[in-house]
Amino acid sequence: SSWRAIGSLGNYAFIQHVLASLNEQGKAVILVAPGTLFHSGHDGQLRQRMIESDVIEAVITLPPNLLPSTSISVAILVLNKAKPPALKGKVLFVYGDELKPYVDRRSQRIQEGWWQPIVDIVHKRQERSRFAALISLEKLTHNEFNLAPARYIDLLGLKTFLGGKTNLEVLSKLAEVFQGTRIDSSRTANGTTRIIKGRHLSLTQIKVEDLTLTPVPDGTRSSVYARQGDILIQRIGLKPSAYLVTEELDGVLVDSTVYVIRLKASQHSLARYLVEFLNSDIGQGLLSSYIKGAGAPTLTLTDLRQLQIPLVQPSVTELINDLYNVEQRLLTRISQTRHVRQRLFSINDAATVDVTLKDLSAEAQVLSASLVQAEDLEFRIRNFYPYTLAF
């Protein structure tokens, strides 16, 4: 009776039926849809009971296109009422999504032996970098009983990031993380408040005048306004962009399609590094492992708070800041060059043509010389190489 079905989709009703049919030494292998591993609600409650009862031996995800009736990936649950001592209080997770079996759709046959790496890991109950991990029930509890292998296996090599000279810390220990303001879309009054939405965050540079005007929301206590140094990240989308709030955007209203990461005072120096990390390939890969839903892929607030961030040496964060400043100076030069070119095509006063052309030519030469200087060997030695070498 303790395993009665209360799930609405029936997935766990079937799983419970299988589990209830096993004797005290019984073992079962069940093919399930991926959502079974992380759905909340009643299914989440049943998954919690199974985890706490320590009857789950292994969770294995498989690559897509294995089944003739669907292209989605599937997963395998291995249940065992008499788990071996090595697996007591633990679950073996195997990430088989990236294995590449050949599937002949005409004969519905799958290439022989592609599954052998999975079989070997399960039999030996071993961990393997970026493929398999043994996770304690305590850690599963901490992650709200989520059974998705991508949550626990270091698929991206975070532990070896920068040669392993980092410490992993969950984001909630570094910052407050909260959602933006819910705006009543039915209100039609003329807006007077600038609001930043998720779609803005993919822009290279956000200008305050380009933001939408919205009516001031009711209930100022629940309104969220950006502060300089905040990190904003998209809530919806497969590749959520992060953006660092500048002085220009300080005080702008933040929409509910955006999460705000407000670093603690002791962590402010991480702001630029954290934005660059979240927007990098490794950061995007990490975020994608938490995104749920097909129609509107969404990153939940709980998952974002649990995101593991590799903390680096101060010298790395300083380098990131230096590179960003160099990039901004280069962009300024590009803007100046573009301005010179635009002025060239706007000359219409015959009396000032020669003078204006000379002025523009001088500006172009100054811009060009500044770039040449950066490549000059003597300039490099004088400014960047050791003192003794320079002389």
Side-chain angles (χ1 to χ4, degrees):
S1 60
S2 63
W3 295 101
R4 65 186 180 85
I6 59 174
S8 59
L9 299 178
N11 292 328
Y12 276 92
F14 175 74
I15 294 171
Q16 290 174 91
H17 172 71
V18 171
L19 191 60
S21 301
L22 299 177
N23 61 32
E24 293 307 308
Q25 302 297 316
K27 190 172 185 177
V29 179
I30 307 173
L31 198 68
V32 298
T36 308
L37 306 178
F38 56 78
H39 280 158
S40 56
H42 293 319
D43 285 355
Q45 295 173 27
L46 288 167
R47 190 170 59 251
Q48 175 179 345
R49 286 197 214 171
M50 292 174 64
I51 291 171
E52 291 175 340
S53 298
D54 201 11
V55 294
I56 302 176
E57 179 174 318
V59 181
I60 305 161
T61 53
L62 301 176
N65 296 308
L66 287 181
L67 303 180
S69 57
T70 180
S71 62
I72 67 168
S73 57
V74 290
I76 294 174
L77 277 181
V78 180
L79 307 180
N80 192 345
K81 283 191 172 181
K83 291 171 67 172
L87 289 178
K88 286 285 187 182
K90 299 178 182 178
V91 175
L92 176 65
F93 287 92
V94 182
Y95 186 79
D97 300 52
E98 294 185 1
L99 295 176
K100 303 295 183 184
Y102 170 73
V103 181
D104 187 336
R105 288 295 175 187
R106 184 175 300 175
S107 63
Q108 297 299 324
R109 291 186 178 181
I110 304 174
Q111 178 185 9
E112 188 74 21
W114 70 269
W115 52 80
Q116 198 59 49
I118 294 175
V119 174
D120 291 343
I121 285 290
V122 172
H123 282 170
K124 297 175 182 178
R125 305 183 183 107
Q126 291 179 334
E127 293 187 295
R128 184 186 296 175
S129 177
R130 305 194 188 195
F131 187 61
L134 279 169
I135 302 299
S136 68
L137 301 190
E138 181 182 5
K139 189 167 185 178
L140 297 181
T141 302
H142 184 70
N143 280 277
E144 299 182 332
F145 307 98
N146 190 306
L147 287 177
R151 179 67 64 90
Y152 305 101
I153 298 172
D154 185 15
L155 301 174
L156 301 165
L158 278 180
K159 293 179 181 177
T160 57
F161 176 58
L162 290 180
K165 296 181 179 180
T166 61
N167 295 315
L168 296 179
E169 186 61 271
V170 294
L171 186 57
S172 60
K173 296 287 185 66
L174 306 173
E176 292 182 76
V177 186
F178 46 93
Q179 190 173 353
T181 311
R182 296 187 180 276
I183 303 296
D184 184 359
S185 59
S186 65
R187 298 177 66 192
T188 57
N190 293 328
T192 57
T193 302
R194 298 286 182 180
I195 184 167
I196 190 166
K197 300 185 178 182
R199 57 184 172 82
H200 294 124
L201 303 184
S202 59
L203 299 174
T204 303
Q205 185 175 17
I206 302 173
K207 296 181 179 180
V208 69
E209 60 267 22
D210 294 335
L211 300 180
T212 309
L213 287 170
T214 188
V216 177
D218 295 328
T220 55
R221 289 185 180 180
S222 61
S223 301
V224 176
Y225 294 89
R227 295 181 188 173
Q228 185 177 357
D230 283 350
I231 297 168
L232 309 182
I233 187 167
Q234 292 172 323
R235 181 172 67 88
I236 301 170
L238 290 172
K239 296 182 176 181
S241 296
Y243 193 91
L244 184 62
V245 175
T246 59
E247 183 179 2
E248 183 185 9
L249 297 177
D250 189 274
V252 169
L253 188 67
V254 181
D255 186 65
S256 60
T257 55
V258 175
Y259 291 133
V260 179
I261 301 171
R262 186 162 290 165
L263 288 165
K264 296 178 180 178
S266 60
Q267 306 295 340
H268 281 174
S269 61
L270 292 175
R272 174 58 58 187
Y273 161 74
L274 186 53
V275 170
E276 297 294 341
F277 172 76
L278 293 174
N279 287 332
S280 70
D281 290 342
I282 191 170
Q284 289 291 298
L286 183 62
L287 288 167
S288 68
S289 69
Y290 287 85
I291 291 172
K292 302 182 180 74
T298 302
L299 178 66
T300 70
L301 190 58
T302 299
D303 287 342
L304 181 58
R305 286 171 174 161
Q306 293 302 314
L307 199 70
Q308 287 195 313
I309 305 298
L311 298 183
V312 296
Q313 298 294 323
S315 59
V316 177
T317 58
E318 290 170 8
L319 177 59
I320 292 290
N321 289 331
D322 289 344
L323 289 172
Y324 174 77
N325 291 332
V326 169
E327 181 183 358
Q328 294 307 302
R329 289 198 295 270
L330 289 173
L331 289 174
T332 299
R333 295 289 176 85
I334 291 172
S335 178
Q336 290 171 341
T337 304
R338 185 179 294 116
H339 179 65
V340 169
R341 188 175 69 247
Q342 290 172 345
R343 284 178 60 195
L344 175 64
F345 288 97
S346 63
I347 300 173
N348 50 28
D349 184 357
T352 62
V353 169
D354 290 340
V355 174
T356 305
L357 286 175
K358 286 181 180 179
D359 289 344
L360 294 180
S361 179
E363 287 186 46
Q365 289 178 29
V366 168
L367 290 170
S368 178
S370 65
L371 295 176
V372 171
Q373 185 184 46
E375 296 297 324
D376 182 73
L377 179 59
E378 182 180 348
F379 175 81
R380 290 186 185 185
I381 292 175
R382 185 181 300 114
N383 289 277
F384 300 108
Y385 289 98
Y387 182 86
T388 53
L389 176 61
F391 289 89

